[in-house]
Amino acid sequence: MLSAALFLLVLGLVASVALAIASRAFYVWEDPKVLAVTDALPGANCGGCGNPGCASAAEAIAAGLASANICVAGGFEVAQAVGEIMGQRVEEREPEFSWTSCSYGVGNAEPIFSYNGASDCHAAVMLYGGSKLCPVGCIGLGSCVKACQFGALAIGDDNLPVVDYSRCVGCGACVDACPKNIVALVSQTRRIISEYVTDECTAPCQRACPTGIHIPGYIREIRNGNYEEAVRIIKEKCPLPLVCGYICPAPCELSCRRNFVDEAVAIDPLKRFVADHEMTTGKHIDPYKCTDNEIKIALVGGGSEGLTAAYYLARLGYQPTILEAKPELGGILRYVIAEDRLPRNVLDHDIQGILEMGIEANTNVAMGRDFDVCSLLKDGYDAVVVTSGGFDSRKILKPEQERYDAAIPGLFIMLDLLTAFSQREEIHLGKHAVIANGGLKALELARKCRDMGAEIVTIVSDQPLSTLPVDFHDTKVLAEEGIEVRASATVAAMRGIGERMDRIALEDKDLTGDISKKRTIIDADTLIVPAGRLPEMAFVHAAGKPETEGERVRWQTIETFRTFPKGGGYGILSSPEPGRISDSSAVVKSILSGRRLARAIHQNFTDGTITPIPNLVWEAADILDVTEVNGVNPSERQCPTVSDVEGDSKTAWIFPEEYPGLDEPAARQEAERCLQCGLICYDKNT
Amino acid sequence: MEYIVLVISAVLIKNILLAEYLGNCPFLGTSKRMDTAVGMGLAVIFVMTIATAVTYVVQHMVLVPLNLGYLQTIAFILVIAALVQFVEMFLRKFAPPLYVALGIFLPLITTNCAVLGTAILCIRRDMNFPEAVVFAIASASGFTLALILLAGIRERLEISNVPRALRGTAIGLIMAGLMSLAFFGFVGVDGSLKEFIQN
Amino acid sequence: MKEAAHMIVVLVIICTVCGVALSGFREMTAERIENQVLMNVQGPRVNKVLEGSQNDLIADRKVIKIDGQEVLLFMGKKDGKPWAIAYETLGKGFGGDLKVMVGYDIENDKLTGIQIVSHKETPGVGSKVTEDQFTQRFKGIEIDLKAEPEKRLSKKIDAISGATYSSQGVYEAIGKSLQLYMAIKKQDLSTK
Amino acid sequence: MKLLRTFTKGLWEELPPFRLVLGLCPVLAVTKSAETGLGMGLAVIFVLTCSNVLVSCLRNVIPRKVRIASYIVIIASFVVMVELASQAFFYKIYESLGIFIPLIVVNCIILGRAEAFASRNGIIPSALDGLGIGLGFTMSLTVLGAIREILGAGTLFGTQVMWSSFRPFTFMVEAPGAFISLGVLLALMNAFSKTQQS
C-alpha cells in the first residue's frame, strides 16, 4: 500500500514539478492582451472579420490594427468584452443577416438541363452557369450551408437555403461561398435604402412600381391571411399605403404577367384592402426602425416627398423635422387632389402613421419668410433638405422680398430672373454667373446677365457640344463676349458662406455613362436653373472647414442621387428635368424621390459620398423577362377594371364612394390569382 | 528482418485504426480536410514514439520492480498527459514553426486512445525496447496513412450526392469500413513473410 | 510561484489519495484475481492435461521450491491418492516465449499430455503447435529417466512443417520440464 | 423535472455515440457481441458516474490550470478499480474486453462530461448526468453488439437465434462490420429524427 501511494505521489510530484519548471524554462512571452482577447472572442474562426482566424484577429486587435468590434459573430457583448480589455469604448454595430433572394428552387424553376454532378454549387456553375435558365437562380447544392460555421443555414425542402436568424451572426462566409451572388448580407439600414438592381430576382410588378414595393410578397401574406405582415411589407417601401391604395395609377398592373392570360391581378385594390384593414384596427403597424442617432435634419416641405424622406430618415435613426408653409401636412394630396377621390381621413391616417415614426412637424412656416437654408444650419440642423416638390418656387418667397435668391443663397430660377429682367429690376448677380442647361434660352439669358453686370457667364450643358444649337459652337466668339460654354459637364456641388454662394464644382460627364470624376471648381456667385420650380437639394455644413466664419455659416450641397444608366444623370441638377430625382406626376414617384433623398443624406453622414448604383433597375434597364405565360388557368378578376385612354387596364381612378373596395373573401380569392413571379419564374399551377 | 515484418504488420495488417479500433475519435474528427489530417498524423507519429519509449521505461524500471503492475493505466496516462504538455511547451520555445503546424493537435492527442493503446500493447505483447519503439512508429504511420486516405475520400464525398441521412459522420464511418475491408486483403502477408524468413 | 505550488500540491494530494485507494482495492481483490487467473488461464489446460483426476485441481495447487526456483505444481488425485502432476515451463518459439503445460503420470513415468498456455507465434503458421493434432501426439509417451537429455522421451515427435521454430520451442519447454520432473521425483510428493 | 431531464437527455437527445460522436473506439471494438457491449457499457456507467460525482465534489478545490490532469487521475483511478474488479469477478468479460478496459481512461465521453457538466454542476445532477449518458452509451453498445452478433455469428448473448442453416456474415464481427454497422445505424437515426421533425 505504501509503495503504491508513494509511487503515485512521486509521479504526480515529478510530473507537476517538471511542468512547472518547463513552463518557466520554455516560457515564451505573449502579450497578455492577445491572450485575453483570444479568450473573449468566440473561437469559431469564421473569418467574418477578415482575419484568418480568431487568434490572428486577437493579434490584430491587440496591435491596434483592428477595432474592438470587428467580430461580427460575437456581436455587441463580445465587442464590449474586447473593448474592456483594450480600454476602448465600443459602439454597437448594426446586426447583419444573411438573406437570399431566390424563391424558386431547382424543382420549380425553368431548367435548361438536369444536373447530376458533384454536389457543390461551384462545380454546378461551371457547367453553363448552372442548370437553371434564370441567371440569378439559386443552385441549391448548399455551398453556403457548408460555409456557415454557425449552423444558421440549411437547404430547405424546396432546395433553397433557409436562414435561421437566431443563429446567423452576419459573418458573411455564405456570401463569399455563393457563386451566384444570391446570398447577401443585409442590415436593416441596407434594406431601407436599397434599390433594385438588374442582377437580382425581381417581379415585373415590383420593377414597375416606382416605390418598389415587394408586391408578390404582400399578396402572398394576404393569401395566408397575415394582413399585418402584408402591411409591414408594403411599408418597407411605401409610407402611404392607404393613399396609394386609393389614388395610385398602378403602373404595376400594366406589367402584371396575368395580362398574358386574362387580366392583371388587382394589385392596388389588394393594397387598399390591407391598408383599410389597418385603418379599421386603428393601430399603425410600424416597420423596423434602426437605433436612433442625434443627427437633426430639416425638411422643407411637408408633401408626399417630404413626408417620405422624413419617414425614411426616422427609420434610419435620424431626427427629422418637417417645415410646412401650409397649415396642414400633405401637400398636393391635401390641397390639390379632390376629396371625393382621396378622403381626408385616409390621408390623415397615413400621415399620422408616418409621424409616429418619430418626426417633428412645424406648419405655417415658410422658407424665405420664416427661415432659410443658412438659418436652419445655424439653428443646429445638420442638414437641410428642400422637398418643395411640385410647388412653384415664387410662392415661397416673401412678398416684400427684394432679392429673389433669399431662400437658397445664389440660386435663381430662370423664370424668376427673366421676369425680373423684363420688369427692369436691378438684380445683383455678382461677378460670375453659371447657367445650367437651358438650350437657346440660356444664351439669351447669358447675354442679359452680362448686361446686368456679371463679368463672366458660364453655360454648363450635360450634352456634348456637337448636339447643342449651332449658336453655341463658336466658343471663341462667345468667349470674347464673356460667355463660356462647358459642354458635357454637370453641376456637382455648390458651396458658400452665409448668404453668399462662392464656388461651384463642375464635373465632366463621360458619354459612356462612366463617371470620370474630373472636377473643376470655379468661383461663382450665381447659379441659374432654367426651370419653373426649385430642384430638390440637400445642404450640409461645408466639409473640412470650421462650421461658421464669424456669424456666417459655411454650407455646401450634397448630391441627392447618383446613377449611370445611359442617359440618366448625376450632379445636383441632373437632366432631363434639372434637379428632379424623379417627377411628381404620381404620389408613388414622389415617394421614390423622398426615399432617394433619405438615402443620400444617410450616405453623406455615414460613407461621406453618394455611391452610384450600377445596374439600377429603371424604365430602360435591360432585364430578362418572359414574353408568354404557360400553364396558367384564366380566372376572373375580383374588382372592376377601368380603362384609360390607351386601353390598358387600370383601377386607380375609381371614386371611393362608387367602389367600396374588395371584401375579405374577394381579396383572398384575388390574392390567389397572383403568379408569385420571380425574374422569369412564376407559379404555373395557379 | 523481424522489424520489417513488425512494421508491415503494424501499418497494413493490424492497422491501429482499421483493425485494432484505436484512435477513432480523431480519425473521424480530423479527417474532413487533408491539411488537418496531415498535421494530426505527423503530431501522432511524434508523440506516440516518445510516449511509448517513456512508458516502456516507466513500466520496466519502476512498475515491475516495485510490483505495481496494476497501476499501469494511471501511471501511463499521467506520463502521457504530462509529456504532451511538455512537448507542447518545448516545441513552442524551440521550434515555433513546428508548433504552429502541429500545436493545435497536441491537446487532442492526450485523449487519443491510440497513444495509450500502443503503449499498453507494447507491454502486453512483451516487446523489447527497440521493438516497442519500432512498433510505435509503425503504428503511428499506419494511423497517419489511414487518416490521410480517409481525408482524401471525405474531401471528395463533400461534393458528392450523398443521401441526406448519410451525410457527415455516417458516410465517414461506412467509408472507414470499406477501407478496413480493403486492408483485410493484407492478412497473411506477414505470415508468408515470416515463413520466408524462417526457411 | 505560489500559484504553481498550489497546483503541485493539489495534484500530488489527488495522486496520493488515489494511490492509497487503489492499493487498498488491490489488496481486497488480489486473492480473487489470482484465483480467477488460474481458473481461466491455467485451469482449462491443467484439466485437459490431468484428465481423469477426481479432485479440484486448482484448489490443490502448491508451490514447491526446486533448485532455488519456485514451481507452481498442480496435482491430480484418484481415489484420494496423487497419480499425476503438471506444471508450466518456457520455451523460445519464433515469435517469443512459449508457455507449455506438461502433465506426468507419476506412477508410470508417462506423459499425460501437453497444452500450450500462451504463445506469440504467427497465426495460422506457428500457431499450429497449439492444435490438438500436434499436442495429442505427446499423450502417453513413456519417459526414460536415466537416458541422455535428448533421448528421454521414448518416441520422437516430428516438427510441424512450416512451424519448425515453434515446434522446437515446444521441445525446448518439454526438455526443461523433464529436467524439473527428475528433481521433483526425488522429493516425496505426498508429504507436501 | 429538471433533474429528470438531466437524466433522460443521455437516452435520446445526447445519446452517445450517435448524437455525441465521442468514445468511438470502444464502441467499435467491443461490440463483437451483445455481452461484451453490455459489459463495457456497465464499466463505463460506473466510471462515468463515479468520476462525475467526485469531480463535482472537488470542482471548487481544483485549480483551473491542472483541472484536466486532475480529472484524468480521478478517472484513471476508477478505471483501475474497474479493471481489478472485472478481473476478480468477471474474468471472461475482462479477457474479451482486453485492452479496452484501461482505455476507458481516454474515452472522450468521460473526460468530456467531467469538463462540460460535472465541473459546473452539483453532485446530484452530475451523478444523474453520468448515469443517463452512461446508460445511453450502454444501450447503444448493447444494441450494436446484438446486431453484429446476430448477423455475424447468428447468436444473441451466446444463444443461437438464427435458423440452423444460417451462414453468418463473418465480416460483421470484424472491423469493417463494426464501422459499417455503426455508420448505417447513425444514418437510420438521422433519417428517423428528420421524419420526426417534419
Side-chain angles (χ1 to χ4, degrees):
Chain A
M1 184 176 274
L2 196 64
S3 65
L6 264 178
F7 167 68
L8 278 183
L9 187 148
V10 171
L11 188 62
L13 195 67
V14 168
S16 48
V17 169
L19 285 182
I21 293 170
S23 67
R24 284 260 156 147
F26 300 152
Y27 179 71
V28 178
W29 190 82
E30 265 186 308
D31 189 342
K33 274 186 178 169
V34 174
L35 290 177
V37 173
T38 313
D39 271 350
L41 292 173
N45 297 321
C46 68
C49 56
N51 290 294
C54 289
S56 61
E59 273 170 31
I61 293 172
L65 299 172
S67 66
N69 65 349
I70 56 163
C71 180
V72 285
F76 189 51
E77 278 170 35
V78 166
Q80 259 184 328
V82 174
E84 215 161 275
I85 297 162
M86 297 300 299
Q88 293 174 1
R89 217 177 73 84
V90 178
E91 276 170 30
E92 192 161 359
R93 270 161 64 123
E94 194 184 8
E96 294 192 86
F97 295 101
S98 165
W99 179 79
T100 59
S101 61
C102 184
S103 56
Y104 281 82
V106 172
N108 302 321
E110 201 70 38
I112 37 178
F113 56 87
S114 107
Y115 176 78
N116 253 330
S119 180
D120 179 85
C121 299
H122 292 272
V125 163
M126 282 180 191
L127 196 65
Y128 308 115
S131 62
K132 279 180 177 180
L133 181 58
C134 178
V136 293
C138 174
I139 301 296
L141 295 173
S143 286
C144 49
V145 176
K146 280 172 210 152
C148 185
Q149 300 278 330
F150 300 93
L153 275 166
I155 292 290
D157 292 333
D158 50 359
N159 273 317
L160 291 171
V162 185
V163 183
D164 178 350
Y165 289 101
S166 63
R167 289 187 174 180
C168 180
V169 297
C171 69
C174 48
V175 179
D176 297 336
C178 180
K180 280 287 195 180
N181 299 324
I182 289 158
V183 189
L185 271 191
V186 290
S187 62
Q188 290 296 343
T189 304
R190 224 174 290 170
R191 269 174 80 153
I192 291 170
I193 64 171
S194 71
E195 299 274 346
Y196 292 129
V197 290
T198 51
D199 47 7
E200 80 184 300
C201 179
T202 45
C205 47
Q206 210 176 339
R207 296 193 294 268
C209 177
T211 70
I213 297 171
H214 191 339
I215 292 166
Y218 82 74
I219 295 186
R220 186 167 55 236
E221 296 302 334
I222 294 174
R223 257 188 209 181
N224 301 334
N226 302 330
Y227 305 135
E228 283 199 12
E229 192 52 42
V231 174
R232 197 164 283 130
I233 291 177
I234 296 170
K235 283 198 175 174
E236 186 71 30
K237 291 284 181 189
C238 172
L240 297 162
L242 199 49
V243 169
C244 289
Y246 275 81
I247 62 161
C248 185
C252 50
E253 293 187 18
L254 295 180
S255 29
C256 178
R257 283 197 187 138
R258 268 238 169 234
N259 285 323
F260 290 120
V261 183
D262 39 35
E263 271 186 281
V265 175
I267 298 171
D268 199 41
L270 279 171
K271 191 191 301 129
R272 180 175 155 188
F273 165 72
V274 282
D276 267 335
H277 178 82
E278 189 205 21
M279 189 163 77
T280 47
T281 61
K283 219 182 83 207
H284 290 285
I285 294 159
D286 290 332
Y288 180 84
K289 210 172 164 241
C290 303
T291 325
D292 276 351
N293 57 38
E294 282 166 5
I295 301 175
K296 287 171 74 185
I297 317 281
L299 295 131
V300 183
S304 48
E305 187 179 33
L307 284 167
T308 307
Y311 168 83
Y312 278 105
L313 286 169
R315 285 183 65 190
L316 290 166
Y318 296 86
Q319 311 298 325
T321 305
I322 296 177
L323 303 163
E324 169 60 51
K326 291 264 183 320
E328 280 186 88
L329 296 174
I332 293 180
L333 296 176
R334 185 177 299 279
Y335 293 106
V336 179
I337 292 175
E339 196 163 347
D340 51 4
R341 283 252 341 275
L342 180 64
R344 294 303 180 247
N345 64 329
V346 163
L347 180 63
D348 289 341
H349 173 78
D350 271 357
I351 291 180
Q352 192 52 40
I354 292 174
L355 294 181
E356 272 181 19
M357 297 305 295
I359 295 158
E360 209 179 302
N362 298 332
T363 49
N364 286 320
V365 284
M367 173 118 128
R369 185 184 72 203
D370 304 306
F371 59 85
D372 57 38
V373 170
C374 294
S375 75
L376 289 174
L377 286 176
K378 218 168 163 183
D379 283 350
Y381 287 101
D382 297 284
V384 177
V385 185
V386 182
T387 54
S388 51
F391 279 89
D392 191 303
S393 65
R394 280 160 294 188
K395 289 186 179 168
I396 60 171
L397 294 178
K398 283 184 201 171
E400 70 277 15
Q401 187 76 8
E402 289 296 315
R403 285 170 48 106
Y404 283 83
D405 63 343
I408 298 170
L411 184 72
F412 289 88
I413 285 170
M414 179 150 73
L415 264 177
D416 292 350
L417 212 54
L418 288 174
T419 316
F421 290 156
S422 67
Q423 288 168 1
R424 306 196 178 281
E425 285 176 36
E426 273 295 314
I427 289 173
H428 178 70
L429 290 175
K431 266 166 81 178
H432 192 159
V434 176
I435 302 173
N437 297 331
L440 266 183
K441 213 58 183 154
L443 205 55
E444 192 191 323
L445 185 66
R447 293 196 173 112
K448 284 217 164 108
C449 290
R450 288 275 297 143
D451 295 344
M452 296 300 293
E455 286 170 26
I456 314 168
V457 180
T458 307
I459 298 174
V460 182
S461 173
D462 59 356
Q463 302 297 314
L465 194 59
S466 56
T467 62
L468 290 177
V470 73
D471 304 52
F472 288 98
H473 288 200
D474 205 343
T475 46
K476 269 187 189 163
V477 177
L478 286 173
E480 278 164 22
E481 275 187 65
I483 298 170
E484 195 188 348
V485 179
R486 287 290 296 269
S488 300
T490 186
V491 178
M494 296 157 56
R495 209 183 71 185
I497 301 174
E499 292 175 347
R500 228 192 75 222
M501 180 205 294
D502 60 4
R503 274 178 184 179
I504 280 179
L506 298 181
E507 202 168 295
D508 288 343
K509 196 170 173 178
D510 188 334
L511 275 184
T512 58
D514 188 27
I515 291 173
S516 53
K517 275 271 178 193
K518 277 180 198 150
R519 279 201 172 202
T520 36
I521 310 274
I522 53 176
D523 292 325
D525 309 285
T526 312
L527 176 64
I528 301 162
V529 184
R533 58 191 192 207
L534 280 177
E536 282 111 347
M537 296 184 103
F539 298 86
V540 294
H541 292 280
K545 296 252 169 103
E547 280 191 4
T548 52
E549 194 182 280
E551 281 293 289
R552 300 186 302 170
V553 185
R554 286 178 183 275
W555 54 265
Q556 70 174 60
T557 59
I558 57 170
E559 273 183 291
T560 48
F561 193 59
R562 177 178 277 263
T563 178
F564 42 85
K566 288 187 193 73
Y570 56 97
I572 57 169
L573 315 163
S574 51
S575 66
E577 195 182 354
R580 300 306 309 160
I581 297 167
S582 72
D583 63 68
S584 299
S585 61
V587 62
V588 278
K589 293 194 176 175
S590 48
I591 288 172
L592 173 65
S593 313
R595 193 180 73 227
R596 287 184 177 168
L597 275 171
R599 177 179 188 272
I601 299 290
H602 178 68
Q603 290 206 322
N604 178 66
F605 283 111
T606 49
D607 308 340
T609 54
I610 314 303
T611 45
I613 304 166
N615 312 328
L616 182 79
V617 167
W618 66 304
E619 283 160 53
D622 195 10
I623 198 159
L624 195 67
D625 206 343
V626 296
T627 50
E628 55 179 341
V629 166
N630 300 313
V632 174
N633 299 319
S635 61
E636 204 190 331
R637 184 178 157 108
Q638 296 296 310
C639 79
T641 307
V642 178
S643 295
D644 74 348
V645 196
E646 281 95 35
D648 289 323
S649 57
K650 269 194 178 181
T651 56
W653 310 100
I654 307 173
F655 290 94
E657 276 167 25
E658 290 167 23
Y659 179 63
L662 294 164
D663 58 5
E664 188 168 352
R668 296 285 280 268
Q669 206 174 333
E670 186 63 28
E672 290 297 329
R673 294 182 71 233
C674 175
L675 299 180
Q676 292 290 312
C677 303
L679 191 61
I680 54 168
C681 303
Y682 52 87
D683 194 346
K684 292 179 181 159
N685 306 314
T686 314
Chain B
M1 282 312 270
E2 281 163 43
Y3 291 116
I4 293 175
V5 179
L6 188 67
V7 168
I8 287 179
S9 167
V11 174
L12 296 178
I13 303 153
K14 288 259 158 201
N15 185 289
I16 190 160
L17 276 171
L18 299 172
E20 300 273 4
Y21 314 95
L22 291 175
N24 276 296
C25 292
F27 180 45
L28 291 164
T30 58
S31 64
K32 282 180 197 144
R33 280 175 52 199
M34 187 57 91
D35 46 355
T36 36
V38 172
M40 184 68 186
L42 294 178
V44 166
I45 294 181
F46 191 72
V47 173
M48 208 187 264
T49 313
I50 304 178
T52 307
V54 173
T55 51
Y56 189 91
V57 172
V58 170
Q59 172 80 15
H60 288 282
M61 310 290 263
V62 186
L63 291 176
V64 173
L66 289 178
N67 205 9
L68 289 173
Y70 64 98
L71 290 179
Q72 188 192 51
T73 311
I74 189 166
F76 278 22
I77 191 68
L78 253 176
V79 167
I80 291 174
L83 190 75
V84 169
Q85 215 165 350
F86 191 85
V87 165
E88 191 180 343
M89 286 192 271
F90 182 86
L91 285 186
R92 192 152 169 201
K93 176 78 176 180
F94 296 108
L98 207 57
Y99 175 74
V100 171
L102 307 183
I104 54 166
F105 303 107
L106 288 172
L108 283 176
I109 289 177
T110 312
T111 50
N112 182 346
C113 54
V115 177
L116 182 60
T118 308
I120 296 178
L121 275 180
C122 289
I123 308 297
R124 292 208 169 184
R125 291 185 185 166
D126 280 336
M127 292 185 182
N128 58 31
F129 188 75
E131 271 174 355
V133 172
V134 171
F135 178 71
I137 296 174
S139 291
S141 311
F143 178 93
T144 311
L145 176 73
L147 193 62
I148 289 173
L149 286 179
L150 189 67
I153 294 175
R154 288 186 81 177
E155 275 195 348
R156 288 184 178 232
L157 276 178
E158 272 290 289
I159 56 161
S160 310
N161 266 320
V162 179
R164 192 164 288 179
L166 281 169
R167 278 178 203 168
T169 316
I171 191 76
L173 277 167
I174 292 175
M175 282 304 144
L178 294 178
M179 272 169 61
S180 159
L181 210 52
F183 271 67
F184 252 42
F186 290 110
V187 168
V189 170
D190 60 339
S192 347
L193 249 176
K194 268 190 187 175
E195 222 169 320
F196 176 75
I197 295 163
Q198 225 162 329
N199 301 321
Chain C
M1 205 55 221
K2 205 176 165 193
E3 194 196 22
H6 182 207
M7 278 159 38
I8 294 173
V9 167
V10 170
L11 204 59
V12 166
I13 289 175
I14 290 177
C15 284
T16 318
V17 171
C18 287
V20 172
L22 286 180
S23 60
F25 198 80
R26 160 81 182 175
E27 303 266 289
M28 272 156 54
T29 52
E31 202 178 327
R32 257 202 84 91
I33 291 175
E34 200 191 341
N35 257 326
Q36 287 282 329
V37 173
L38 285 172
M39 278 218 333
N40 287 288
V41 181
Q42 275 93 352
R45 273 91 191 193
V46 174
N47 283 334
K48 215 162 180 187
V49 170
L50 299 185
E51 230 173 337
S53 302
Q54 290 156 339
N55 58 332
D56 181 346
L57 293 168
I58 303 296
D60 287 347
R61 66 178 193 275
K62 51 181 78 162
V63 179
I64 55 168
K65 254 202 159 134
I66 303 220
D67 302 341
Q69 72 182 108
E70 283 185 351
V71 176
L72 181 63
L73 194 73
F74 299 92
M75 187 175 291
K77 291 181 182 168
K78 264 181 190 166
D79 308 322
K81 238 182 83 192
W83 73 281
I85 55 165
Y87 48 86
E88 276 177 30
T89 41
L90 282 180
K92 191 121 184 78
F94 178 72
D97 287 346
L98 268 163
K99 270 190 192 165
V100 183
M101 176 77 71
V102 187
Y104 300 91
D105 182 337
I106 46 176
E107 286 167 351
N108 307 319
D109 284 341
K110 280 201 297 195
L111 287 187
T112 57
I114 67 160
Q115 284 288 309
I116 312 297
V117 179
S118 70
H119 71 96
K120 281 191 276 176
E121 303 311 288
T122 321
V125 187
S127 68
K128 281 183 185 155
V129 295
T130 63
E131 288 166 12
D132 280 353
Q133 221 188 342
F134 181 66
T135 55
Q136 286 297 323
R137 294 188 204 166
F138 293 89
K139 200 168 176 177
I141 297 175
E142 286 179 16
I143 304 162
D144 182 0
L145 288 173
K146 292 167 195 101
E148 299 278 300
E150 293 84 35
K151 292 174 184 166
R152 278 182 188 146
L153 291 182
S154 60
K155 199 171 127 197
K156 187 154 166 51
I157 306 293
D158 290 333
I160 300 171
S161 67
T164 327
Y165 275 82
S166 309
S167 309
Q168 276 167 5
V170 176
Y171 300 153
E172 188 194 339
I174 295 174
K176 283 184 186 165
S177 182
L178 283 167
Q179 197 73 38
L180 278 174
Y181 181 66
M182 310 218 333
I184 292 165
K185 271 294 262 189
K186 286 175 193 154
Q187 303 189 9
D188 186 3
L189 289 169
S190 49
T191 57
K192 283 173 189 164
Chain D
M1 229 17 241
K2 219 183 145 203
L3 284 179
L4 189 69
R5 277 202 38 74
T6 311
F7 176 68
T8 52
K9 70 175 189 298
L11 301 181
W12 181 252
E13 292 142 59
E14 295 187 11
L15 178 68
F18 295 105
R19 298 298 169 90
L20 298 170
V21 187
L22 286 175
L24 282 181
C25 309
V27 175
L28 295 167
V30 304
T31 52
K32 281 183 183 168
S33 70
E35 192 186 7
T36 49
L38 186 63
M40 184 68 180
L42 294 176
V44 168
I45 292 185
F46 172 77
V47 176
L48 188 51
T49 314
C50 293
S51 64
N52 255 12
V53 169
L54 200 58
V55 165
S56 174
C57 289
L58 297 176
R59 69 183 188 276
N60 296 325
V61 184
I62 299 175
R64 245 188 81 81
K65 277 197 171 165
V66 290
R67 68 187 193 288
I68 297 290
S70 313
Y71 299 163
I72 287 180
V73 174
I74 290 169
I75 293 167
S77 305
F78 286 113
V79 170
V80 173
M81 285 185 195
V82 167
E83 206 177 348
L84 293 173
S86 65
Q87 218 174 339
F89 300 100
F90 311 101
Y91 195 84
K92 277 269 156 56
I93 292 183
Y94 166 78
E95 268 205 317
S96 56
L97 294 180
I99 191 175
F100 289 95
I101 292 184
L103 288 184
I104 295 176
V105 175
V106 282
N107 188 325
C108 324
I109 292 179
I110 295 171
L111 194 60
R113 291 326 284 181
E115 165 72 2
F117 195 93
S119 65
R120 279 159 216 183
N121 286 286
I123 297 172
I124 293 169
S126 300
L128 283 176
D129 176 76
L131 218 53
I133 298 273
L135 217 55
F137 191 67
T138 312
M139 215 164 73
S140 312
L141 282 188
T142 315
V143 168
L144 194 64
I147 293 173
R148 287 179 63 196
E149 191 183 345
I150 292 171
L151 293 178
T155 58
L156 182 62
F157 286 105
T159 38
Q160 185 79 24
V161 288
M162 300 300 261
W163 56 96
S164 54
S165 60
F166 173 76
R167 299 221 16 209
F169 314 151
T170 318
F171 95 103
M172 284 300 287
V173 292
E174 301 288 348
F179 284 110
I180 290 172
S181 44
L182 185 63
V184 170
L185 266 187
L186 198 61
L188 284 179
M189 196 131 155
N190 286 344
F192 183 67
S193 348
K194 267 268 148 50
T195 48
Q196 223 186 15
Q197 270 167 22
S198 56

